[in-house]
Amino acid sequence: MGLSQTLLVYVLVCIHLGVSQHYLRLRPSPSDHLPVPDLKEDPDPEYDPREQDLAERTLRKKLGSNFDPNFMSISSPMVNLSAPDSQVKLQGPMPNEIKKLDLTETPYGKRVKVGKKARRKFLQWLWTYTHCPVVYTWKDLGVRFWPRYIKEGNCFSERSCSFPEGMSCKPVKSINKIFLRWYCQGFLRQKYCTWIQVQYPIISECKCSC
């Protein structure tokens, strides 16, 4: 290869990297910040899968047992999963830190009498107020993911979860779901594209914290 050809290839590589370096993120990066922010994709449709690359039977076989219909969908779901505060249901047993609260002791050392019924109602109210449910909504990941729709979890955030106010619901646990990601190597007409498996974290539990 002559010097002029070498320089031309070098310039083409630099131009390609300069344009595409912003889009080199292949998959969601490990992060303490969930839900995963939207990926910045190269808008060039040349990097999109073609119709023959989207054969459902082939992709289902490639994903195998990782296909989870509870958290992923091939077509756009028509169901609105968001639930207002009044419809959020408490799940599991009452947390020990609430159940063991001593309501008879005051800051001044005096003790007050609290009936069983009043105590039960107050603890139930406190549990409901500080409860941090995971609210699920469907998200479109775009044509470069398969399945392209994911049921993503978010921590309830319409109000403070503490009394007095100040604390908020934050994610404490997540689960990983396996999706297929359309991945292209190379540039221009020399690129090679294929589907690869990637992990996508989804919030599974939230807790009231600072």
Side-chain angles (χ1 to χ4, degrees):
M1 182 182 291
L3 179 59
S4 60
Q5 291 177 300
T6 303
L7 290 174
L8 177 59
V9 172
Y10 178 77
V11 170
L12 288 175
V13 171
C14 287
I15 290 174
H16 173 72
L17 289 178
V19 172
S20 302
Q21 195 168 10
H22 193 56
Y23 304 102
L24 289 181
R25 288 176 59 191
L26 167 65
R27 66 197 75 183
S29 302
S31 173
D32 293 331
H33 302 287
L34 293 177
V36 175
D38 294 337
L39 293 177
K40 294 182 179 180
E41 301 273 22
D42 189 328
D44 190 343
E46 284 291 322
Y47 293 96
D48 291 345
R50 300 161 298 178
E51 186 176 349
Q52 58 264 41
D53 299 316
L54 294 168
E56 181 180 336
R57 186 174 180 180
T58 302
L59 296 180
R60 275 186 176 270
K61 187 175 180 181
K62 193 172 184 66
L63 194 56
S65 60
N66 292 312
F67 184 86
D68 186 349
N70 293 318
F71 283 92
M72 52 189 71
S73 177
I74 299 168
S75 57
S76 178
M78 302 301 292
V79 181
N80 181 12
L81 299 173
S82 299
D85 188 18
S86 59
Q87 296 180 12
V88 172
K89 295 182 179 180
L90 299 173
Q91 296 180 347
M94 181 180 292
N96 286 331
E97 56 265 29
I98 294 179
K99 189 186 299 184
K100 294 180 179 180
L101 280 176
D102 186 358
L103 303 181
T104 64
E105 191 173 319
T106 68
Y108 308 104
K110 294 183 179 180
R111 302 185 69 83
V112 294
K113 187 176 180 180
V114 179
K116 289 184 178 180
K117 187 176 181 180
R119 172 185 166 81
R120 185 172 63 252
K121 284 188 174 183
F122 177 78
L123 293 182
Q124 185 70 25
W125 171 85
L126 187 62
W127 184 21
T128 303
Y129 193 88
T130 59
H131 179 57
C132 287
V134 179
V135 181
Y136 289 100
T137 54
W138 284 102
K139 179 179 179 179
D140 184 357
L141 296 176
V143 72
R144 295 174 190 173
F145 281 89
W146 196 92
R148 67 179 290 173
Y149 298 96
I150 182 174
K151 191 169 77 171
E152 191 172 63
N154 289 270
C155 294
F156 186 76
S157 59
E158 291 186 10
R159 57 167 175 77
S160 173
C161 57
S162 63
F163 184 81
E165 295 185 356
M167 300 171 71
S168 59
C169 294
K170 295 182 180 180
V172 291
K173 286 185 182 179
S174 65
I175 55 176
N176 288 324
K177 293 298 175 181
I178 305 295
F179 284 75
L180 296 180
R181 167 70 171 170
W182 186 247
Y183 173 51
C184 293
Q185 289 181 307
F187 63 96
L188 301 180
R189 296 187 181 275
Q190 303 299 320
K191 70 180 185 300
Y192 167 75
C193 301
T194 188
W195 290 103
I196 64 171
Q197 292 189 355
V198 295
Q199 292 187 351
Y200 197 103
I202 300 173
I203 294 172
S204 59
E205 184 178 335
C206 302
K207 191 173 182 179
C208 189
S209 61
C210 299

